[in-house]
C-alpha cells in the first residue's frame, strides 16, 4: 500500500510517500516540500500548492492521502492558511477518487514513538530509524509529512477517531483513543472542525 | 463588469452575481446556495462545493470573484471549514486567471448601508433596494453573497486593505480604512491570516 502523507502549510507544505508492505514493513519512497512565497497573493499561493499536490498525487497514485488534522486554536497567525492547504489536499485526492485520512500530531507521535507527547527530535529520529534513512529528513515539514504517512500505516487496526466509545478496545487501541482524547481536551472543542 | 460574490461555508455556500455598469449602476444577475451535507465525509463535501463553484464561475465568467474574508476567531466550530471553502473559491478563480478580492463583513456593511456595524436586516433591505429586487434574497447566505459582490462594486476608488497608511485618503477611503481597522482590532491580530 502506497501512502502519501501531507504536512499542510502555505509557505512550506511537506509531502512524504512511503510503501507499507507485509508485516507492517515500511519503506521510504519520496519526500519533498512544496513552497509558496509570502509575497505572492493568497489565491496564487493556493494555486501553486494545489498544483504541487496534484503533481505528487498523479505521479505516485497513492492508495490513501493522509493529512495532518488542523485545530482552530493552533498557531493563530497561520492556522487558516494551513486549514486551506489541508482542504486543497483533500480536494486533490477526492477529485481522483483516492480516500483521505486525518491524523493529529499526537496520533503521529504515539504511532511513531509510543508517546503522544514525544519531543520533535525524538519523532525525527524514529522516522529516520523506521524508514532506514541515513539522516533525519529535512526540513521539519518533510519529516512531519513522512511521520503522517507512517502514522497511517502503523495505526492500530480499528483505530478509532475521537468521540467513539472505548469499550472492548485492545490496549493499543485504547492508548490511541486516549491520545485522540488528550489532543481534544488540550485544544477545546475544535476536534470536529474539519 | 461582472462580479461573482461568495459567502463561504461548508454546509451552505452563497453565490451571488451582479453586473456593475456605468455610474455604478448595479443589476442582479444570479443568486444560489451550494450545499453539502454534514453527514458526508469532509473531502467529499469540499469536492461538492468546489464543483459547484467551478460550475458558477464557468457559467458566468466573472471579471472578479469577491470572497468574504475569514477570521481565525470567528465562530470557532465552523471557521476552518469556512476558511477551506474560501480557499476553494480562490483556487477555482485562480485556475481560470480570474482575479479575487477579499472583503470583511464590516466592509460589506459599510459599502451597502454606510455603517460598518449595521444590523443584518438593514443589510438585507439595502441589498434588495440596490438590486431592485421585490423581496430580500433568501436564505441569508444568498443575501451575503450578493452583498459581497455589491461591496466590491461600491468600494471607494483606491480602497485600501488593512495595514496600509491612511495619509492623503479621501473621506470615503478613510471611512473604509477605519472599518477595516475596526474589524482588525475587534478580532485580534488575525487580519492577515488569509
Amino acid at each position: 500500500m502506497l501512502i502519501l502523507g501531507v504536512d499542510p502549510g502555505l509557505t512550506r507544505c511537506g509531502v512524504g510517500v512511503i510503501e507499507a508492505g507485509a508485516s507492517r514493513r515500511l519503506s521510504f519512497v519520496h519526500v519533498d516540500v512544496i513552497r509558496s512565497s509570502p509575497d505572492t497573493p493568497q489565491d496564487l499561493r493556493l494555486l501553486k500548492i494545489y498544483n504541487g499536490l496534484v503533481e505528487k498525487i498523479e505521479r505516485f497514485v497513492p492508495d490513501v492521502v493522509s493529512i495532518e488534522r488542523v485545530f482552530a486554536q493552533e498557531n493563530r497567525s497561520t492556522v487558516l492558511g494551513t486549514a486551506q492547504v489541508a482542504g486543497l489536499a483533500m480536494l486533490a485526492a477526492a477529485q481522483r477518487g483516492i480516500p483521505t485520512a486525518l491524523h493529529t500530531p499526537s496520533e503521529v507521535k504515539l504511532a511513531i514513538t509510543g508517546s503522544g507527547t514525544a519531543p520533535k527530535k525524538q519523532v525525527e529520529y524514529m522516522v529516520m530509524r523506521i524508514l532506514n534513512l541515513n539522516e533525519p529528513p529535512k526540513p521539519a515539514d518533510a519529516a512531519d509529512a513522512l511521520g503522517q504517512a507512517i502514522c497511517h500505516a502503523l495505526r492500530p487496526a480499528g483505530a478509532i477517531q475521537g468521540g467513539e466509545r472505548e469499550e472492548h478496545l485492545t490496549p493499543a487501541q485504547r492508548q490511541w483513543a486516549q491520545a485522540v482524547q488528550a489532543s481534544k481536551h488540550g485544544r477545546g472543542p475544535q476536534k470536529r472542525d474539519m
Side-chain angles (χ1 to χ4, degrees), chain A:
Chain A
M1 182 165 85
L2 208 60
I3 304 170
L4 190 149
V6 177
D7 179 39
L10 197 50
T11 302
R12 289 182 304 280
C13 178
V15 175
V17 184
I18 65 167
E19 173 76 42
S23 319
R24 296 192 166 188
R25 257 194 87 81
L26 306 184
S27 49
F28 171 84
V29 176
H30 178 79
V31 73
D32 199 3
V33 175
I34 307 166
R35 296 165 195 273
S36 84
S37 164
D39 301 331
T40 309
Q42 177 88 355
D43 50 353
L44 300 184
R45 297 185 77 179
L46 293 170
L47 179 62
K48 181 157 190 256
I49 300 281
Y50 171 80
N51 287 343
L53 287 167
V54 166
E55 191 268 325
K56 298 295 183 194
I57 290 173
E58 295 196 338
R59 194 199 317 178
F60 294 102
V61 194
D63 296 288
V64 61
V65 174
S66 187
I67 306 157
E68 182 175 309
R69 188 185 287 273
V70 182
F71 293 94
Q73 289 184 322
E74 262 172 26
N75 187 359
R76 288 184 182 163
S77 71
T78 59
V79 67
L80 294 187
T82 303
Q84 289 178 331
V85 171
L88 297 186
M90 281 188 260
L91 175 71
Q95 286 175 313
R96 288 155 186 85
I98 298 171
T100 56
L102 300 173
H103 298 293
T104 68
S106 299
E107 288 170 39
V108 172
K109 288 176 177 181
L110 174 63
I112 293 180
T113 70
S115 161
T117 58
K120 211 164 179 64
K121 281 278 170 210
Q122 189 184 344
V123 177
E124 286 175 17
Y125 174 79
M126 287 304 295
V127 165
M128 179 181 75
R129 278 270 309 274
I130 291 168
L131 297 179
N132 283 313
L133 304 175
N134 291 324
E135 51 183 41
K138 284 176 188 164
D141 313 79
D144 288 345
L146 286 171
Q148 180 67 225
I150 295 169
C151 170
H152 189 75
L154 297 185
R155 75 200 185 286
I160 63 166
Q161 298 294 319
E164 296 178 40
R165 279 185 260 175
E166 292 190 33
E167 296 161 12
H168 314 301
L169 298 183
T170 66
Q173 287 169 345
R174 186 168 299 112
Q175 202 180 355
W176 186 271
Q178 283 162 357
V180 172
Q181 292 296 325
S183 63
K184 275 175 74 171
H185 294 308
R187 295 187 170 103
Q190 277 71 40
K191 179 64 180 171
R192 306 187 67 182
D193 275 351
M194 54 166 276

